Amino acid sequence: MNPADLPLDARGVVNDSGRCYASLRAGGQEHSDEQTLREKQQRRLRLTPAWLLVLIAVVVAAACFFAAEVWLNAGFMPMMVPLISFVVPLILAVVVGVQGWRVRAYRRGGRSIHALTAGRIFVLTQAGSRAGAVLVGSALGVISAYAHIGPSNFLAEQMFRLALCALASLTLVIVSYCAERWCVIDDPDSGSDSPHTPLPGAGAAA
């Protein structure tokens, strides 16, 4: 603060009101800095909204539908879907669920978690929900394209495998969506627009 802005007495010395004013200004500056830090941390931590996952799935489904239509209209055979294609999303769902449960247990007074680990789990949950939405959309888009072709045992089998993959991917989305919310705690001091704060380390890693 510029000393020239403080009120002076007749002797040119800062009077008591000036000292009080400077103290209030310093306290207000500290509060402002703390609030700014909190706002920056809140901007780093953005929970994935459900509408975003739905939007990702819809956009990917439309793109995969038109891509499959172009592929089939060009005279190519429908691509074979591996039967174990649903296994990978299920494994990822288990991993995300287990890691998210660690954070949930910590919030309930369980075993402590390193701040960096908590941040990585938060990032993992966000990646899992978005990847699951992409897989759900791609599977549903290809199923829709295959449904326009005449019925056959081969196509029925591929659509069944794609449906399994879509269900497994939807499980990944739901598990990741829930686990992501286990990585934040309620903040009674924050406003209604930002009702959550991250666990230690989650905001920095995000």
Side-chain angles (χ1 to χ4, degrees), residues 11-174:
R11 295 169 297 174
V13 180
V14 178
N15 57 27
D16 292 338
S17 63
R19 296 190 184 95
C20 181
Y21 175 73
S23 177
L24 290 175
R25 285 288 301 272
Q29 182 66 30
E30 292 178 359
H31 178 73
S32 177
D33 293 341
E34 182 180 356
Q35 184 176 5
T36 302
L37 180 61
R38 178 186 292 272
E39 291 175 353
K40 289 181 178 179
Q41 189 178 41
Q42 290 292 345
R43 284 196 293 268
R44 292 194 196 103
L45 181 69
R46 293 296 184 183
L47 292 177
T48 304
W51 65 263
L52 178 61
L53 299 177
V54 174
L55 179 63
I56 292 174
V58 171
V59 171
V60 173
C64 289
F65 170 79
F66 287 111
E69 283 287 314
V70 171
W71 176 272
L72 296 173
N73 292 333
F76 296 103
M77 291 291 296
M79 291 183 292
M80 180 177 295
V81 180
L83 181 60
I84 62 173
S85 58
F86 70 95
V87 175
V88 174
L90 286 181
I91 293 177
L92 292 177
V94 171
V95 172
V96 173
V98 170
Q99 296 300 318
W101 192 263
R102 291 177 57 195
V103 180
R104 184 176 184 272
Y106 164 69
R107 289 181 55 190
R108 292 172 174 260
R111 183 179 178 181
S112 62
I113 299 179
H114 192 274
L116 185 58
T117 302
R120 289 173 176 172
I121 293 175
F122 177 77
V123 175
L124 176 65
T125 59
Q126 288 195 324
S129 61
R130 288 163 170 76
V134 171
L135 292 175
V136 170
S138 59
L140 294 180
V142 177
I143 289 176
S144 301
Y146 284 179
H148 290 281
I149 307 176
S152 65
N153 293 334
F154 175 78
L155 283 179
E157 182 179 0
Q158 303 311 306
M159 293 173 66
F160 174 75
R161 295 179 180 182
L162 286 169
L164 288 179
C165 182
L167 290 176
S169 301
L170 181 60
T171 302
L172 173 60
V173 172
I174 295 174

Side-chain angles (χ1 to χ4, degrees), residues 42 45 47 181 184-187 190-191 193-198:
Q42 290 292 345
L45 181 69
L47 292 177
R181 277 139 185 84
V184 296
I185 56 178
D186 294 332
D187 184 8
S190 61
D193 293 337
S194 300
H196 305 289
T197 55

